[in-house]
Amino acid sequence: MHGIIVNISKTHFHYFYLYSVGIAGWLWVSYTFFQPNHLANHQELFQSLLGSFVVLLFFALAIIARFTSFRLTGTMEIAIDSAFYLASTAIIGSQLTAVMALLCMTFDSFRKIILSKFRDQKKEEPMLFLIGNTIFNGGLTSLGILDCGNWFGFDSHFLSSQKAESPLWLLPIMSVVLLSGHYILSAIHLWLGGMKLSEVFRNVVIKGIFYEIFLVPLSLVMVLSFDPKRPIVIILLGITYIIFATIVKWLSNVKIELQKNLHTLEETKHELQTNIATL
């Protein structure tokens, strides 16, 4: 058995990891969603116009938030959608939030694949990897939300007749567990993809968790401000968060552009110095 493992390349391990984690997430979320008791719970929510509106609102906010993601390091991106997922878990429950995350992350992955075909003609990733990465992104995020939400008692929606109120102080703890698990599993993905372990730990795990922790207060504000009689409050909060994320993305892009220009100037300076020295 050890001989077989040694003969398998790291690329094969990478593909196996992407597909196994991703498919596990898809299957588990699908299985729990279609359980009779859960279907009855979802039906109870969607029978209400307010319940349907809140679900669609969080889904729309999460989708829009993916467009405001900015690069943290290498292939790692940060987006404000985590705040909406956390708030949604506390308000409409982990089941529907997990499905929402599954659809949002899958859509975002397909969007980026299509954009990369037009923007980056030089680097072509294998289709097997692109499909695996898409399955992994949706499966990992939804699996974490579903399991953590269930563990911490955020598994029912605000209109549920059987809703058991979980203390709100559990939400930050759940967030830390969810984000830690998410970034550790994502780090394994990047390490198997060729990134150095030290770089993965420093630039992905530490920085990723550090930045995303700052989104937890935003989700708490949404939960505390949520009032079924005044949904306009979370609409305004969501729009405010999106505007803030857009500004951060713009500043991040400006920083990247300035760094590129500085690098170009340094190369030009070096070439000039070399030419002067040869005269």
Side-chain angles (χ1 to χ4, degrees):
M1 289 183 67
H2 291 289
I4 295 174
I5 293 176
V6 170
N7 289 331
I8 297 177
S9 70
K10 195 173 181 180
T11 301
H12 290 108
F13 274 125
H14 192 194
Y15 286 173
F16 174 77
Y17 179 75
L18 288 177
Y19 280 93
S20 58
V21 173
I23 291 173
W26 278 76
L27 291 178
W28 182 239
V29 171
S30 301
Y31 172 76
T32 55
F33 181 82
F34 288 106
Q35 290 295 301
N37 57 326
H38 292 152
L39 282 175
N41 194 36
H42 306 330
Q43 187 177 8
E44 182 183 14
L45 179 64
F46 283 106
Q47 282 177 345
S48 164
L49 183 61
L50 175 62
S52 302
F53 171 77
V54 172
V55 173
L56 292 175
L57 173 63
F58 276 114
F59 182 72
L61 289 173
I63 283 286
I64 296 170
R66 293 307 306 173
F67 285 88
T68 66
S69 63
F70 62 94
R71 195 171 300 279
L72 176 63
T73 178
T75 58
M76 205 68 183
E77 291 184 338
I78 294 291
I80 203 172
D81 59 331
S82 300
F84 298 132
Y85 293 144
L86 294 172
S88 175
T89 301
I91 294 173
I92 66 173
S94 56
Q95 296 283 338
L96 286 173
T97 304
V99 174
M100 179 197 309
L102 186 69
L103 296 175
C104 287
M105 297 302 294
T106 302
F107 165 78
D108 188 60
S109 294
F110 275 122
R111 177 181 69 86
K112 289 175 180 176
I113 290 173
I114 294 171
L115 287 177
S116 66
K117 296 295 182 182
F118 293 99
R119 291 179 179 176
D120 189 10
Q121 300 294 335
K122 297 179 181 179
K123 188 177 180 181
E124 281 285 338
E125 295 285 1
M127 186 55 65
L128 189 63
F129 170 79
L130 294 176
I131 295 173
N133 191 58
T134 300
I135 295 173
F136 176 84
N137 286 336
L140 174 63
T141 306
S142 58
L143 182 63
I145 291 172
L146 178 61
D147 286 342
C148 286
N150 290 342
W151 293 339
F152 287 90
F154 296 101
D155 54 354
S156 56
H157 57 78
F158 67 100
L159 291 176
S160 176
S161 56
Q162 301 177 347
K163 182 173 177 61
E165 291 290 339
S166 296
L168 196 57
W169 58 265
L170 284 176
L171 186 61
I173 299 175
M174 184 199 78
S175 304
V176 173
V177 174
L178 173 60
L179 293 173
S180 299
H182 179 86
Y183 275 97
I184 288 172
L185 292 176
S186 297
I188 296 173
H189 161 32
L190 295 175
W191 174 65
L192 290 173
M195 190 180 291
K196 291 182 180 179
L197 189 59
S198 58
E199 185 182 350
V200 168
F201 184 77
R202 182 177 64 256
N203 293 331
V204 177
V205 178
I206 300 300
K207 285 186 178 181
I209 296 175
F210 176 78
Y211 282 112
E212 295 251 19
I213 284 297
F214 285 101
L215 299 177
V216 177
L218 302 183
S219 62
L220 282 171
V221 170
M222 292 196 80
V223 176
L224 290 170
S225 303
F226 177 71
D227 183 354
K229 297 178 181 179
R230 294 188 304 166
I232 187 66
V233 177
I234 60 169
I235 295 175
L236 294 176
L237 277 173
I239 294 172
T240 303
Y241 293 169
I242 293 294
I243 294 173
F244 170 77
T246 304
I247 294 172
V248 172
K249 179 179 181 178
W250 176 76
L251 291 173
S252 175
N253 290 338
V254 169
K255 178 185 175 182
I256 292 172
E257 203 61 38
L258 287 174
Q259 288 175 339
K260 287 181 179 179
N261 292 337
L262 180 61
H263 180 69
T264 304
L265 287 173
E266 288 177 348
E267 286 184 341
T268 305
K269 178 184 175 182
H270 179 72
E271 289 178 2
L272 287 172
Q273 288 175 341
T274 304
N275 293 334
I276 291 172
T278 57
L279 292 176

